[in-house]
Amino acid sequence: MTDGGWIPPKVWTWDTQSGGRFANINRPIAGPTHDKALPVGKHPLQLYSLGTPNGQKVTILLEELLELGHGGAEYDAWLIQIGKGDQFGSGFVEINPNSKIPALSDHSGPTPVPVFESGAILIYLAEKFGAFLPTAPAERARCLSWLMWQMGSAPFIGGGFGHFYAYAPEKLEYPINRYSMETKRLFDVANRRLAESRYLAGDDYTIADMAAYPWLRVLQSGEAYDNAAAFLSLNEYTHVARWVGEIDARPGARRGRMVNRTSGKPEEQLHERHDASDFALRTQDKLEPAGEQN
């Protein structure tokens, strides 16, 4: 940048004071920062996550599988508090060298199978249980195409628009304009598709919808980034709104949004999930005194 703006040095160096809100956890290297083994519960599937849109993708799928009667999809969901750096513990890094949630460990076989990246976990579980991923080549390709569309889109919405609009230490016109444009373009992509199709991949609800829904929903509802829905005029995307409403009504999706969630209404927060009864017995409104609820 010129005209009095910041001029990049010839060689970049890490300044721990310039990281903004996330300076305490951001760093330019990988690997663990401390030794910490991960807990293992009673179910074959062990999930280590946080109820962000990326984390919700997997818990929605797991709850949808249970809704279909797949008892083998029972799982323990352990809370990873990324603001405290839990993702840099040695046990977590062993499953996910990239230190991002969610991470899954499948203990149903003789040796645990680690899976990381939300899209990879969705595919792994859909194939394991034979649900929510078409098997016919054309339909499978369309589903995976929309899944990868979402995986490629999330950084523009979250790390791009969300960061510069809501989290950056100062408001900068250029990046906010740049990522606002891209976020609205992505909504338009989805809106045009959903104008001609009930779900992203066609007539059937699939992992492509489970991947895109938490991200588009949290913006469209106004819950994310200081009510960015008004700033971006997201009410314009009526087909996205129809699709969000339809998935909102699904019991599995409703439960999945609650798991590992630590913000919002206390009755919608289930910090950890170890049994189906936890939704009735262990949400935060039942665990915290009234004066301590969010």
Side-chain angles (χ1 to χ4, degrees):
M1 183 182 294
T2 57
D3 299 328
W6 179 70
I7 300 174
K10 292 183 178 180
V11 178
W12 181 84
T13 56
W14 181 29
D15 179 1
T16 58
Q17 303 304 310
S18 64
R21 177 172 172 176
F22 304 104
N24 64 317
I25 58 171
N26 286 342
R27 60 196 182 113
I29 57 175
T33 60
H34 58 281
D35 289 329
K36 184 177 181 180
L38 289 175
V40 177
K42 62 182 180 180
H43 300 299
L45 297 177
Q46 299 294 304
L47 181 68
Y48 306 94
S49 191
L50 181 66
T52 65
N54 282 337
Q56 289 177 24
K57 298 175 191 178
V58 177
T59 49
I60 287 172
L61 173 55
L62 287 166
E63 291 298 330
E64 293 282 13
L65 288 167
L66 292 169
E67 192 75 13
L68 279 183
H70 291 283
E74 275 291 351
Y75 66 103
D76 291 277
W78 302 92
L79 181 63
I80 298 296
Q81 300 193 66
I82 60 177
K84 296 181 179 180
D86 290 351
Q87 69 275 31
F88 299 116
S90 57
F92 191 90
V93 174
E94 186 175 352
I95 296 178
N96 185 356
N98 198 37
S99 292
K100 303 289 184 182
I101 62 95
L104 177 76
S105 184
D106 182 356
H107 293 252
S108 61
T111 304
V113 176
V115 193
F116 68 96
E117 288 295 334
S118 59
I121 297 173
L122 292 180
I123 295 170
Y124 177 82
L125 291 173
E127 291 182 336
K128 180 180 178 72
F129 293 101
F132 301 115
L133 176 59
T135 55
E139 287 77 9
R140 179 183 173 87
R142 184 160 54 244
C143 177
L144 293 178
S145 292
W146 281 105
L147 173 62
M148 297 308 160
W149 169 79
Q150 189 286 316
M151 297 293 292
S153 299
F156 291 97
I157 295 175
F161 172 76
H163 178 80
F164 286 105
Y165 182 75
Y167 301 141
E170 56 184 312
K171 303 294 185 186
L172 299 173
E173 183 179 5
Y174 175 79
I176 290 175
N177 282 343
R178 170 69 177 87
Y179 289 113
S180 294
M181 177 186 69
E182 183 64 9
T183 298
K184 286 183 68 68
R185 189 191 70 79
L186 292 167
F187 263 78
D188 194 47
V189 170
N191 201 60
R192 288 170 184 265
R193 172 58 178 165
L194 293 167
E196 62 185 21
S197 178
R198 183 179 179 185
Y199 295 110
L200 288 174
D203 294 333
D204 296 325
Y205 177 58
T206 69
I207 56 173
D209 300 291
M210 298 176 203
Y213 161 74
W215 276 104
L216 299 187
R217 180 193 179 278
V218 77
L219 266 81
Q220 193 258 353
S221 68
E223 294 177 15
Y225 310 134
D226 304 327
N227 191 21
F231 178 74
L232 295 172
S233 302
L234 297 183
N235 61 304
E236 298 172 350
Y237 305 101
T238 57
H239 301 292
V240 171
R242 183 272 304 164
W243 169 81
V244 165
E246 188 167 343
I247 299 175
D248 276 349
R250 298 181 66 94
R254 288 201 304 270
R255 293 195 304 271
R257 290 201 317 270
M258 295 169 63
V259 179
N260 297 144
R261 186 171 178 179
T262 59
S263 63
K265 299 176 182 178
E267 62 269 23
E268 296 177 351
Q269 297 180 40
L270 182 61
H271 288 190
E272 291 193 350
R273 189 264 193 217
H274 303 290
D275 188 85
S277 64
D278 290 346
F279 292 99
L281 302 176
R282 300 192 60 80
T283 52
Q284 285 305 104
D285 59 312
K286 299 177 180 68
L287 298 180
E288 294 181 350
E292 297 181 11
Q293 293 176 8
N294 292 341

